Every structure is written in C-alpha cells, then in structure tokens.
Amino acid sequence: MPFEIFDFDFVVVGSGLAGLNAAVKASEYGRVAVVTKGKLNESSSFNAQGGIAVAIGEKDNPKNHIKDTLMAGRGLCDPEAVKMLVVQGREDVNALIREGLTFDNRDGKLLFSLEGGHSTNRVIHLNGANTGKYITLYFAERVNNNPRIKIFENTFATGLLKQNGKVIGLKALNLLDEQNIAFYSPAVILASGGYSRIYERSTNPDTSTGDGVWLAAEAGTEIRDIEFIQFHPTAFYDGTKFTFLISEAVRGEGGLLLNSNLERFMPRYDEMNELAPRDIVAKAILSEMKKTRKDFVYLDLRHLNAKLFKEKFSNIANFLNTASIDFTKDLIPVAPAAHYTMGGIKTDLDGATNIPGLFACGECASTGVHGANRLASNSLLECLVFSERAVEKAKNLIGSKIEKCEKDLSPVFISSTMHDAYETLKIKVAELLTKSANILRKGENLKEALKEVKELKVGTTLDEYYSIKARSLKKLASMILKAAELREESCGAHQRDDFKQTRAEFEGHFTFKENEIYFERENEQESRLLN
Ligand code: SIN
C-alpha cells in the first residue's frame, strides 16, 4: 500500500494536556495534525488526580512556589525554567478561569489543596481528584470541534523525516488498517508522554512507553536526565503488578502512613511528616518495608470525615469500594510505583530541541523544571506553559520550504508473529529496570542489568512495528541504566546503596546525543564526553 501523504503547518504527537493545548494554540496560526497512538482521551494527563499547582491564592506568591519547586528538584532544576513555569503558569490558569473553566470553589473562592513539598495550600482541582479527566476533556472538545485540527487516532509515529539537518515531518502507521502515512510539516511538536510504564508497577496508562523520547533520540536529539524517575509513594498494592493511584492530596487531607507493625513512621524521617516531598516519603516507605520485611505499608484514612472524603475523592472511594476496602475501618496497603519521568527530550525555554523543526513539551520533554524530583502537581502546569511556548516559537517556521523526498519513505508493516517476542522482551526489560533502576540502586546491579539489556535480541526486521517497539524499549532501558550507573550519588528520587550522599561533582546532567553520553554542568563550556 503506498504512503498516504499530508501537509500541515504543525504536527503534534500525543494527546495529553500538552498535546491538546499545543494543538488548540497552533490552530490559531495554521493547520494542525494531532497524531496519537491510542484514543484522544488516553493519557497520563487524563489519569492525573492531584490537580494544578499554581501560586494564585491570597496567601501565596510566585516566590514561594519557585522556592518549593527548586527545593524538591534537589539542586538540579533550571531556575529560569522554574520561574517561567510559575509566572507564566499563573497567567495561563487565570486565562482558563476567565474562559469559563470552573475549578472547585466555595462561593466563588477557589479551593486550594495541600500536597507533598508545598509550603502552602496551592493545588487547584476540577471535580475533586478528577482534574486530569476534566481538563483533558475540556481541551479534547475544543480540538474535536476545531476545523483546523485533524485528529489521527490509533496512529503510531514510526520516524521523524529529516532533510539537511532539519525535521520536516513525521512517518506514522495506522495501527488499525496498517496504512503508512507521511506528515510533512515545518514543525513537529512531540508531546508523547513519559516512560514510567516500562517498569513493572506504574501508575501510568499502558501508553506511557516513551516512544516519543526514542523517536527523538533516533533522530539525534539530546536526551537529558533520563535516569531520574519519580516513584509515587502511595500506589495501591494487592500483591500483584496491578496499581491504582491514591492521590497525595489524600495525605494533604490528613491520611497517615503506618508500617505493617501499625506504627506511624514519617515523623521519624522528616518534619513535614506525610507531606514531605515525594522522594523523601517514597524512600521512607522503602526503608520501613525493608525493616518490617513486607512489600507494602498502610495508608490510614479511618479518622477522616467519610462524607467529605467521598465527595472530594469520589474516584478513589469508588475504587476502594470495588476492592472491598472500607476505608472507615480498613487500612489500605500501598507501595511506591513508577509515576513520572523527570528527564526526556532536552529543550530550551521555548520547547525547541537541538534539531531545527523539532519541539517537545509535557512529560516527554526535559525543560529543566523538575530537576531530580518533581514537585507534586507541577506537571499539568508544565504542560500548559511549555506547549504554548513551543507553539509560539514553532509558528515562525510556517511557510518554510520543504523538499519532499518520497524515496525516504520506507513503509512499516505489522507482523503478528513478532508480537509474542516483543511481549517477552517487555516483561524482561520491566523486570530488569524494576530490580536495578528503582528507588534503591547499586552500581554493580545497574552494570549487570545494562549488560543483560544489551544482550536482548530485538529482531533484525527494521521496518516491522513490534521490532521498532522492541528497539525503542531496549534503547530507553539502556540509556536509563547507563546514566543511573554513572550517577554515583544519591539524589532526588533515587538512593544509591554504594554512594549514599549527594556529591557536588554530580551537580549536572547526563545527556545522550547520537549514542554518546555527556556530562554537562551549569556554566561549564566544555561538557565531558563519557563514551
Ligand atoms: C497525586 O495525585 O498524588 C499525583 C499528583 C502528581 O503526580 O503531581
């Protein structure tokens, strides 16, 4: 079947909040394609419970939000990016409110929740812990009703089209009818999400497999901080790989953590107790799990006002009900699970990558706002701010000359016989990452896991869908393991058994480019080439 060919002013890959906002904003300037491998409403943004952290409360101010974000990031945030996030984020959220998006309020006054690492109540919500769902539905409706936006669902991006060092479009495959599609466009905006789902236990939907990060890496884009993976402290645990996120906002309402001996332990670890930043809580939980030789701790909600809890956290209350847990009487078993990937495609403050024509925003991007540990509920804000900035920059490319070269268009096909091999590889990669590049890490384990990943067979069929996915997984896992091994310190979301302290010489970023890894430090001209 020959390629179907389209021309657009912008191609957006991904349909979480960053992708949808990028599409809406870009449609003000030109014609937009939204390419998404699942359905429009399938994303981590859709699942987000916490809300949007934004310094617009009467008792709050941007300085404090910046301070809390930098503190959570453990010295590895880009302060300029953080300032941009907080300051432009206020404008963006206020604009949404003016447009008519009604965040939870009492008599017109916004309700602000408290989450880990925030010095004040700062998180606004839509319909309690359903913020992600309602904000993505709000944007999806605007995308659906916009004649300048064309949506391509079930369409998997298979490669970036490049010409003279610039990105000029995207190749993709419709997973239902196996039609290959070429999208020519002077601006491709990747908003394809993170890669937490490549771990065994994750709070993310199955789609969070980092394909966009891989696509960018294959095209020679810089990939930064890929070893920084945030584990959410309180994912429901039932002894299997199943998870369900119990929002941090539940601890903001007074939820307590008990070890399996029913002792409250957080006061022993941090003065902010259950509301310490996420890295501290996750590590404390692991330490208690080890001490008590159990795979979980408990979240105790028995003392909370049940009626208010059900109102505010209807989705969590419904879930507990289906799991036959009566939260007014029973304790809830929880354990950390991969939740958010701080690193990804390196961008500047305008979402631009090192390759002209290629932009990234949302979780797939490394904008510099999260450092080694993201502050709770900063991610939806990041999606809003940096997708808009990317569009503002990308719009300058409209009208750029593109020379189509159809001989570059090699079609991708799906071979169902490759499916099982891919699934086996996926399980193996998840097991290796979970064992070695988890919260607790050790150099020799990382090295061993990397060796095993490198030995995994991914098939030689270049243009086959499952083989592409297998190569993507192998590459991502290798990059995570390599950077994690080289980072011989404990910092943010992870704890090294062999290097228990933070070390000044690692105050910088591991960055991959074209199969090489560099270490970059702030204000250092020369970065070190490591292999
Ligand atoms: C949560 O609700 O606990 C998750 C919020 C976030 O990850 O920012």
Side-chain angles (χ1 to χ4, degrees), residues 78-99:
D78 170 353
E80 280 306 304
V82 172
K83 190 169 163 201
M84 190 74 76
L85 171 83
V86 168
V87 174
Q88 191 176 318
R90 278 160 47 104
E91 287 169 28
D92 289 352
V93 169
N94 278 327
L96 286 176
I97 293 170
R98 280 196 303 275
E99 262 176 31

Side-chain angles (χ1 to χ4, degrees), residues 49-50 115 232 245-249 278 339 374 376-379:
Q49 293 185 5
E115 289 187 28
H232 195 289
L245 181 69
I246 314 280
S247 174
E248 194 155 293
R278 205 165 271 181
H339 179 63
R374 179 181 59 101
S377 285
N378 263 355
S379 41

Side-chain angles (χ1 to χ4, degrees), residues 208-226:
S208 297
T209 46
D211 319 277
V213 177
W214 169 76
L215 209 65
E218 286 292 287
T221 318
E222 291 167 308
I223 307 297
R224 177 175 65 181
D225 288 344
I226 193 161

